[in-house]
Amino acid sequence: MAAGNDDDYDAASAVAEFHESRGGVHGLLESGVTTVPLIFLTPPTASPWSPSPAAFAFPVVDLSLPRAHTVELVRAAASSLGVFYVTNYHGVQQTTATTIIDSAISAVRAFHEQPRAARSAFYSASLSARPVAYATIPNPALRPGQPAAHPLLPWRDSLIVQFNDGGGSSSSAQPAGDDLPQVCRDDLLEYHRFLTGFGKEIMALLSEALGLPAERIDQALQVQGSPMVCHYYPPCPEPARVVGAREHTDASLFTVLAEDRVGGLQVWLDDDKGGGDGGWVDVPPVTGALLINIGDVLKVISNDEYKSVEHRVVINSSQEARVSIALFFRPANCGESDFFGPLPELLTEGRPARYKNLTFPQLMNYRRELGHARSSLDGFKI
Ligand SMILES: O=C(O)CCC(=O)C(=O)O
Ligand SMILES: [Fe+2]
């Protein structure tokens, strides 16, 4: 934020005061706020955030289809859109999977809708190094040259859970300590257990769809599902003037998203896919299905064979809260000396490496300084 600017100074105080209230956006509504505070508002000159301009049928990959067919569907979706749904998870009845997903969504809703004192115990404006934290995560800067994000805060509260499975072993992960709030502990643990096997399956498919052995990427990067970020988008009196999540790509290999039936997620589709010059397109929820978003790490190691999809969340409703859970599958070994880059098997003379080797901390630092949108890999391009 620019120093010496009175407007920015006031905004900074307002943000600090909001965090000190420890009740999140939902807390504002509980205290009877009927107009949206300035720190959440997009500038009046900005174009409204909803409704979304176009409709599009996103692919649903049925995992019970023959393998070759599934691999081909995954390849087509990951390389053209960077986003797809999946159903019929291996080894789990679809009805059981739907129950596990729905229970996790209900548990997240229960956490965010419990009395304020119970949730504010977890509130932490600084998220680093805590196994479990509850907060409204400030909007990041979007692009180089944009020092502050507007609006400063999204219309969203999040419960962030760090899992640690000891370096990518196949045993299921446990949250660090018994720190999960009791109201959602069992359901979120069960959901995470379910997604641990599911994530391996998705990683294997994505690997095969690049023409690589199924275990290639997991062996190289020790993929693990963490953090789990459990979002709550309260209803808003002025939905078109707030943002649920600003446009961004995910800093993951891929992200698995579960959501309730309210909707609000949109992805940016280029030219021919969205119609015309490209645009924001609604991703309507599909009951019982999980959404896979390809992230920046997979874009790099696939040497741009896969797209990392840019997405955002609009607030659709002045009546209903929306719940979603994003589980980020990332390299377990993500220290200062753990480099990754385009996989050598994918490189040819005609298609040389498009990215330098980089580490996960470098990627995160670059995003912190220069933005989370489509440009978030620019600094690593060759
Ligand atoms: O809530 C959603 O639909 C998306 C959340 C998201 O994009 C994220 O957590 O990175
Ligand atoms: Fe995201």
Side-chain angles (χ1 to χ4, degrees), residues 4-360:
N5 177 321
D6 284 349
D7 289 346
D8 281 351
Y9 178 76
D10 288 340
S13 311
V15 169
E17 202 180 303
F18 168 76
H19 286 312
E20 277 154 27
S21 76
R22 303 174 75 87
V25 177
H26 187 48
L28 292 177
L29 298 174
E30 287 170 322
S31 17
V33 166
T34 52
T35 53
V36 177
L38 279 174
I39 48 176
F40 295 94
L41 284 179
T42 48
T45 49
S47 57
W49 263 53
S50 58
S52 122
F56 186 83
F58 286 89
V60 180
V61 178
D62 179 343
L63 296 184
S64 67
L65 291 172
R67 185 77 173 184
H69 191 174
T70 319
V71 168
E72 181 47 32
L73 290 174
V74 165
R75 193 202 57 73
S79 54
S80 68
L81 301 169
V83 61
F84 55 95
Y85 279 108
V86 287
T87 54
N88 288 317
Y89 323 105
H90 284 186
V92 184
Q93 292 285 334
Q94 178 67 45
T95 48
T96 310
T98 305
T99 306
I100 295 173
I101 297 166
D102 287 352
S103 303
I105 293 285
S106 302
V108 170
R109 187 178 290 278
F111 171 81
H112 286 282
E113 292 182 352
Q114 70 189 323
R116 183 196 186 107
R119 37 178 229 278
S120 33
F122 294 91
Y123 201 92
S124 168
S126 78
L127 304 172
S128 55
R130 287 195 179 222
V132 176
Y134 165 57
T136 294
I137 308 165
N139 282 325
L142 277 183
R143 294 194 170 79
Q146 284 191 331
H150 287 287
L152 294 168
L153 295 177
W155 194 257
R156 171 175 86 171
D157 301 328
S158 305
L159 176 72
I160 303 112
V161 186
Q162 307 286 348
F163 285 85
N164 181 355
D165 70 2
S169 77
S170 60
S171 62
S172 65
Q174 291 297 317
D178 276 339
D179 305 295
L180 270 169
Q182 188 160 9
V183 67
C184 55
R185 181 182 301 155
D186 293 348
D187 290 316
L188 290 187
L189 286 176
E190 179 164 25
Y191 180 63
H192 191 267
R193 265 194 301 275
F194 167 57
L195 282 197
T196 300
F198 171 73
K200 296 233 174 253
E201 175 67 13
I202 296 299
M203 193 71 271
L205 279 169
L206 286 162
S207 205
E208 279 183 61
L210 287 170
L212 302 169
E215 65 286 355
R216 173 69 173 99
I217 298 177
D218 197 17
Q219 275 174 358
L221 294 178
Q222 308 286 289
V223 182
Q224 77 171 8
S226 182
M228 180 186 274
V229 187
C230 310
H231 300 299
Y232 184 80
Y233 300 86
C236 181
E238 294 182 86
R241 292 199 58 203
V242 298
V243 310
R246 286 193 78 174
E247 61 264 45
H248 66 283
T249 55
D250 287 349
S252 60
L253 282 142
F254 60 91
T255 307
V256 178
L257 190 89
E259 61 180 318
D260 64 15
R261 290 165 187 79
V262 174
L265 177 67
Q266 298 181 337
V267 298
W268 178 268
L269 296 189
D270 290 334
D271 35 74
D272 52 316
K273 283 164 227 105
D277 297 331
W280 291 106
V281 176
D282 278 329
V283 187
V286 174
T287 307
L290 291 167
L291 189 76
I292 311 296
N293 277 344
I294 305 292
D296 284 346
V297 179
L298 198 45
K299 181 172 162 67
V300 168
I301 67 170
S302 73
N303 202 34
D304 280 345
E305 285 293 332
Y306 291 160
K307 257 193 154 140
S308 61
V309 67
E310 193 172 26
H311 52 287
R312 68 181 193 180
V313 178
V314 300
I315 304 296
N316 274 341
S317 179
S318 55
Q319 310 296 326
E320 265 187 305
R322 171 176 185 257
V323 170
S324 72
I325 307 175
L327 184 64
F328 295 84
F329 282 84
R330 290 177 171 170
N333 300 327
C334 52
E336 307 282 349
S337 55
D338 296 313
F339 283 87
F340 62 87
L343 292 170
E345 310 81 311
L346 301 177
L347 308 181
T348 62
E349 231 169 81
R351 202 175 167 88
R354 295 192 176 171
Y355 298 94
K356 303 176 229 176
N357 285 349
L358 65 143
T359 65
F360 198 71

